[in-house]
Amino acid sequence: MNEGTTIARSFAAAAERLAAAGIASPRLDARLIFAHALGLSPEAMIGHHAGVLTDAQAEKVERLIRRRIAREPVSHLLGQREFWSLPFAVTPDVLDPRPDSETIVEAVLEMLPNRQASVRVLDLGTGSGCLLLALLAELPCATGIGIDRSIAACRIAMANAAALDLADRASFVASHWGSALSGYFDVVVANPPYIADDVIDALAPEVALHEPRLALAGGPDGLDAYRCLALDVPRLMARDGFAVLEVDAGMHDPVARLFGQAGLALGCVRHDLGGVERGLVMMHRTRNR
């Protein structure tokens, strides 16, 4: 990037480089990168196109553009990703929060007409903590526990809880699913690994190369994590409680069967914005209706 070149020209050149590298949203990604380098919001970039990058800003932009061309996710470049209109710190140790997972939050809130209820929430496979913390932000009297096998993920979730002023109502435990827990929870949510092992390498490089395989790999058929969850969820779920499980396209029936064999009944199915059966609401068969 030449000295004296306007931000507008530098931005256009960067977007062209991203497009040539096969990035699906080159102008959006370039805007996010430039805004980050300039310490601005993406919206504020509009009024700064006539300016000129400082040497330090130009060097930072160049480093980030090269990393994006190498298909590192934008969230890793910026260090955060928005979920449920909340900012979450993101690193290679956690799965990138995705809009599809907001379906799980929506399903829980629809099942809880009283937002002031003092419910206990359990998030199995918490990662960045996005599901648990989004729910606690909407449920001011709720408390919750997030479980993850990764100690690094638990640390990130704890940092996110502190940044969102939710640390007093959220705790995080490193454990293999619910094996370290006892007691009952009113709400259980889980976004487990559900990608079949032999499919992962064929995913987009942003996912296959840069996201934690532990949070992706679901075994030969993608169902290994659900088999474990089917052992833990029924015993941890309060009698009048419910669970919302995230699933991938085509997994509705086999997952519902696994939990049916464990004594739970399918309450309803929630679709994401793309029409995929994304959230399964499960409850005890003896639940009061």
Side-chain angles (χ1 to χ4, degrees):
M1 298 183 185
N2 297 327
E3 183 178 353
T5 303
T6 64
I7 291 174
R9 290 183 179 179
S10 299
F11 172 85
E16 288 179 5
R17 290 169 64 193
L18 294 177
I23 303 299
S25 53
R27 291 187 63 82
L28 172 60
D29 290 7
R31 184 166 69 251
L32 293 171
I33 287 171
F34 271 72
H36 182 66
L38 272 63
L40 302 171
S41 69
E43 296 75 18
M45 271 291 297
I46 297 173
H48 285 73
H49 279 195
V52 177
L53 293 174
T54 67
D55 289 344
Q57 289 169 340
E59 290 174 5
K60 186 171 185 178
V61 166
E62 179 62 21
R63 287 196 303 270
L64 294 174
I65 291 295
R66 288 183 178 180
R67 289 170 63 186
R68 186 67 187 107
I69 287 173
R71 305 302 289 270
E72 193 169 345
V74 173
S75 61
H76 292 186
L77 306 184
L78 308 185
Q80 71 173 35
R81 174 72 178 265
E82 184 178 283
F83 180 85
W84 201 255
S85 299
L86 300 170
F88 285 87
V90 173
T91 75
D93 291 310
V94 298
L95 198 67
D96 209 7
R98 289 167 168 79
D100 289 344
S101 297
E102 293 186 350
T103 307
I104 309 307
V105 179
E106 292 170 353
V108 171
L109 297 178
E110 289 173 6
M111 294 288 292
L112 290 173
N114 179 11
R115 298 284 180 92
Q116 303 299 317
S118 299
V119 296
R120 295 187 72 208
V121 182
L122 172 61
D123 180 8
L124 293 166
T126 194
S128 66
C130 63
L131 289 180
L132 174 61
L133 297 175
L135 288 170
L136 295 185
E138 295 286 346
L139 304 169
C141 298
T143 58
I145 297 177
I147 301 294
D148 204 286
R149 288 180 66 181
S150 166
I151 294 175
C154 288
R155 289 175 177 154
I156 293 165
M158 290 171 64
N160 281 325
L164 294 170
D165 293 325
L166 294 169
D168 60 333
R169 295 193 284 127
S171 58
F172 298 91
V173 177
S175 171
H176 183 259
W177 303 118
S179 61
L181 298 176
S182 60
Y184 300 104
F185 295 84
D186 305 290
V187 179
V188 180
V189 294
N191 177 17
Y194 51 60
I195 308 299
D197 292 349
D198 61 358
V199 174
I200 294 176
D201 290 336
L203 298 175
E206 288 85 347
V207 178
L209 300 179
H210 296 285
E211 297 210 78
R213 190 157 291 236
L214 184 66
L216 297 170
D221 59 359
L223 294 172
D224 278 3
Y226 296 101
R227 294 186 179 96
C228 294
L229 289 171
L231 300 176
D232 287 334
V233 171
R235 71 176 178 83
L236 293 170
M237 198 168 72
R239 180 173 296 278
D240 290 328
F242 62 92
V244 184
L245 313 170
E246 179 166 333
V247 297
D248 201 6
M251 299 182 75
H252 161 276
D253 288 339
V255 172
R257 279 197 299 271
L258 277 173
F259 281 81
Q261 292 165 2
L264 300 186
L266 178 63
C268 57
V269 179
R270 292 288 183 259
H271 296 74
D272 63 22
L273 293 177
V276 173
E277 295 174 327
R278 186 65 63 185
L280 303 187
V281 178
M282 308 297 301
M283 56 190 66
H284 290 293
R285 292 198 179 109
T286 57
R287 172 177 170 158
N288 296 327
R289 297 179 184 272

